[in-house]
Amino acid sequence: MPIILGTWKEPGQAAVETAAAAYQQGKSMTECLEAGLARCEDDPEFIAIGRGSLPNSDGELELDASIMDGRDLNCGAVCAMRGILPAITVARWVKDKTPHVMLAGDQARRFAIENGLQPQNLMTAESVRLYEEWKTDPSRLQEYVHTVHDTVTMLGRDDDGHFVAASSTSGWSYKKPGRVGDSPIVGAGIYADDEAGAAGATGLGEELWKAVVSFRTVQNMRAGMTAQQACEESINQMVRRQPKARETSCVVLATGKDGSWGAACTTGTFHLWVHKDGQTTVQEYTGIVD
Ligand code: SD4
């Protein structure tokens, strides 16, 4: 039976259920996580990732996405890509069709178009309305108010013990144009290695990146920790070393070779969707500093 994990209460459920259904149809774990994320990117009802999510301070959506295959450490990512969906598919194409790990900005968009995707306006009436409202007080630019969850990070382990990690995000809402967070950075936002397990992150990208938290968590499992212990160790270290990580939600999730899974966060409440033994359930975590 596979294990599939997905972040945050609202988009996470649709992502995990889509991926689990794809697995039942015989798709590979890479295809399953791509399908889960692409479904959430496309849905304007989720003010989270892709269409209808929250833009940068210019009112433009810049998407980041990444995917990593634990079998051979092959990975692909895009960052600061405008007007293209699904960003996760473009990340997978970078992995499968190029010798590179990441394409950025306009050139990621160009690569997507060359491979058959149509550029489109991803803002909706609602995301424009929220942006206009935000613009009345741009002093909020420095804030990271984690009220909307702008990332879905997914981990999967198939029946053969093969791990995949993937993430898609519109990033920090109202971010500085060109800002890239942890989600498309292999080692920060995602990591998968069949020798040890998979881990992923969500929350304040700058802090998660400084901790290289996904790689660190996989290394913890390599050293013998369960997935839960590995996540807690990484989050404890962030709390100890990074003052900002104590103030804003930083989350890591993991699944290990022993079939264990877990998550931990610095502060706030985090919901993780878990598909295991054919059942999909949601787990709630509270921050270790709360
Ligand atoms: C970022 N880590 O761009 C992402 C944001 C996030 O739920 O996870 N939001 O910093």
Side-chain angles (χ1 to χ4, degrees):
M1 289 282 208
I3 296 178
I4 300 171
L5 308 180
T7 62
W8 301 114
K9 197 159 194 175
E10 213 199 16
Q13 180 173 19
V16 168
E17 286 177 355
T18 303
Y23 193 84
Q24 273 202 326
Q25 288 161 12
K27 304 277 193 216
S28 71
M29 189 53 82
T30 301
E31 291 169 316
C32 294
L33 300 197
E34 180 182 343
L37 293 174
R39 187 238 177 276
C40 296
E41 285 189 37
D42 194 38
D43 192 334
E45 295 298 312
F46 297 135
I47 304 181
I49 64 173
R51 192 186 308 285
S53 52
L54 295 179
N56 65 18
S57 60
D58 283 345
E60 281 190 309
L61 273 164
E62 290 184 333
L63 304 181
D64 302 331
S66 61
I67 189 158
M68 183 167 193
D69 190 329
R71 210 185 312 256
D72 54 7
L73 309 189
N74 203 11
C75 45
V78 290
C79 66
M81 182 175 70
R82 287 176 294 126
I84 296 285
L85 280 189
I88 189 61
T89 296
V90 188
R92 204 251 306 150
W93 286 343
V94 173
K95 171 171 85 63
D96 291 344
K97 296 181 188 228
T98 81
H100 309 305
V101 168
M102 179 182 275
L103 293 178
D106 286 350
Q107 303 307 328
R109 174 186 166 98
R110 171 177 160 191
F111 170 74
I113 295 167
E114 280 166 5
N115 281 279
L117 291 177
Q118 296 293 324
Q120 45 180 315
N121 174 20
L122 302 178
M123 292 290 282
T124 57
E126 178 63 2
S127 60
V128 170
R129 188 190 68 73
L130 290 166
Y131 172 67
E132 293 298 334
E133 193 180 290
W134 172 80
K135 244 190 5 184
T136 59
D137 184 6
S139 67
R140 286 181 276 176
L141 184 58
Q142 295 311 319
E143 285 173 35
Y144 183 64
V145 184
H146 210 252
T147 48
V148 285
H149 300 303
D150 17 48
T151 302
V152 181
T153 299
M154 301 190 76
L155 306 177
R157 176 182 183 270
D158 71 14
D159 290 320
D160 301 323
H162 163 51
F163 292 93
V164 180
S167 187
S168 176
T169 190
S170 54
W172 180 334
S173 3
Y174 313 121
K175 62 195 173 187
K176 201 172 183 56
R179 177 267 186 188
V180 172
D182 60 305
S183 312
I185 307 300
V186 170
I190 60 163
Y191 202 76
D193 181 347
D194 282 6
E195 285 186 0
T202 181
L204 183 53
E206 280 69 6
E207 298 304 315
L208 295 160
W209 193 344
K210 288 175 201 170
V212 200
V213 72
S214 293
F215 180 67
R216 178 182 300 280
T217 304
V218 170
Q219 291 301 91
N220 288 342
M221 292 189 289
R222 195 188 302 274
M225 293 184 202
T226 64
Q228 184 60 36
Q229 289 166 341
C231 292
E232 286 173 12
E233 202 284 334
S234 296
I235 291 296
N236 277 322
Q237 143 127 0
M238 289 184 73
V239 164
R240 196 170 66 241
R241 297 281 292 126
Q242 298 170 244
K244 282 193 192 138
R246 302 175 65 93
E247 292 158 19
T248 308
S249 166
C250 292
V251 179
V252 67
L253 48 142
T255 178
K257 277 172 66 107
D258 58 357
S260 74
W261 51 271
C265 58
T266 55
T267 183
T269 304
F270 168 65
H271 289 96
L272 178 69
W273 286 93
V274 180
H275 180 85
K276 190 169 194 270
D277 301 328
Q279 305 282 334
T280 302
T281 53
V282 67
Q283 312 289 320
E284 185 175 297
Y285 297 84
T286 43
I288 63 167
V289 302
D290 297 338

